[in-house]
């Protein structure tokens, strides 16, 4: 791309969990980005949801589905993580996105499955991170999130 303000990196993670009660999470942090506890995920690759960190809620209630992307931004920069397949994601600290790569539980977590999660298989996950300038906003509504044309291009190449 001709715009030097855009940075794109791909990461490939290969997991094969065999130890009970283990979660593998990758953490990306942009030190100077101040998202004020707000982050966005896609619902289906075209519609987006806005989430707000709440320090009065447990971490488990602040992990959301990420069909293809998670994003945080402030008035200067936007940081987006794109994935080839669905993941769990959260933003628990300023400038941070967490992506759950895999988990293995020996017991039921009382979330509806009625048993542990022990059928793990080797999994390959490719994540693409994008750091770009925050696009000009039509208004100050933090729920008015859309991806940039550059991010859409990177998403289409990934998927």
């Amino acid at each position: 791309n001709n715009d030097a303000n855009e940075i794109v990196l791909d990461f490939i993670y290969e997991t094969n969990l065999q130890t009970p009660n283990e979660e593998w999470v990758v953490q990306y942090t942009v030190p100077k980005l101040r998202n004020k506890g707000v982050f966005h995920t896609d619902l289906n690759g075209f519609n987006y949801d806005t989430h707000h960190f709440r320090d009065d809620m447990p971490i488990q209630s602040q992990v959301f589905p990420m069909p293809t992307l998670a994003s945080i931004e402030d008035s200067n920069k936007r940081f987006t993580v794109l994935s080839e397949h669905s993941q769990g994601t959260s933003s628990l600290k300023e400038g941070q996105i967490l992506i759950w790569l895999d988990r293995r539980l020996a017991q039921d977590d009382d979330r509806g499955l009625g048993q542990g999660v022990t059928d793990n298989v080797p999994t390959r996950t490719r994540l693409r991170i994008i750091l770009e300038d925050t696009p000009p906003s039509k208004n100050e509504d933090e729920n008015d999130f859309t991806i940039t044309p550059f991010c859409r291009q990177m998403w289409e190449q990934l998927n």
Side-chain angles (χ1 to χ4, degrees):
N1 190 35
N2 295 333
D3 191 346
N5 292 326
E6 297 161 342
I7 299 170
V8 179
L9 294 170
D10 282 7
F11 293 89
I12 296 173
Y13 300 93
E14 294 182 353
T15 62
N16 186 12
L17 297 186
Q18 300 299 315
T19 304
N21 300 320
E22 189 171 50
E23 292 182 312
W24 284 16
V25 178
V26 62
Q27 172 184 312
Y28 297 108
T29 303
V30 181
K32 294 182 181 178
L33 196 148
R34 299 289 172 244
N35 55 302
K36 300 178 184 172
V38 176
F39 83 109
H40 310 278
T41 58
D42 71 306
L43 297 171
N44 54 14
F46 299 100
N47 297 313
Y48 305 95
D49 212 356
T50 299
H51 310 280
H52 300 268
F53 173 73
R54 293 185 47 186
D55 59 7
D56 63 330
M57 300 291 290
I59 291 174
Q60 299 90 321
S61 68
Q62 300 190 65
V63 177
F64 298 93
M66 177 186 126
T68 60
L69 77 80
S71 189
I72 56 175
E73 65 185 1
D74 61 18
S75 59
N76 297 313
K77 292 291 180 187
R78 176 182 282 182
F79 180 70
T80 303
V81 179
L82 302 172
S83 180
E84 292 179 311
H85 56 87
S86 295
Q87 309 289 146
T89 187
S90 191
S91 180
L92 304 175
K93 294 181 181 175
E94 289 295 292
Q96 177 191 85
I97 293 179
L98 300 170
I99 308 291
W100 270 254
L101 298 174
D102 205 352
R103 64 191 287 224
R104 184 176 179 91
L105 301 175
Q107 69 285 332
D108 181 35
D109 63 1
D110 293 323
R111 302 270 180 218
L113 191 58
Q115 62 186 25
V117 179
T118 58
D119 59 348
N120 304 75
V121 297
T123 304
R124 182 183 183 272
T125 302
R126 181 175 171 195
L127 300 175
R128 176 169 289 168
I129 64 170
I130 302 168
L131 183 64
E132 60 186 332
D133 291 338
T134 301
S137 180
K138 296 180 184 130
N139 58 48
E140 295 301 314
D141 183 4
E142 65 189 19
N143 295 319
D144 189 28
F145 178 84
T146 58
I147 63 172
T148 63
F150 180 73
C151 187
R152 170 72 60 195
Q153 177 186 1
M154 293 294 99
W155 178 78
E156 289 171 355
Q157 287 178 6
L158 185 66
N159 292 294

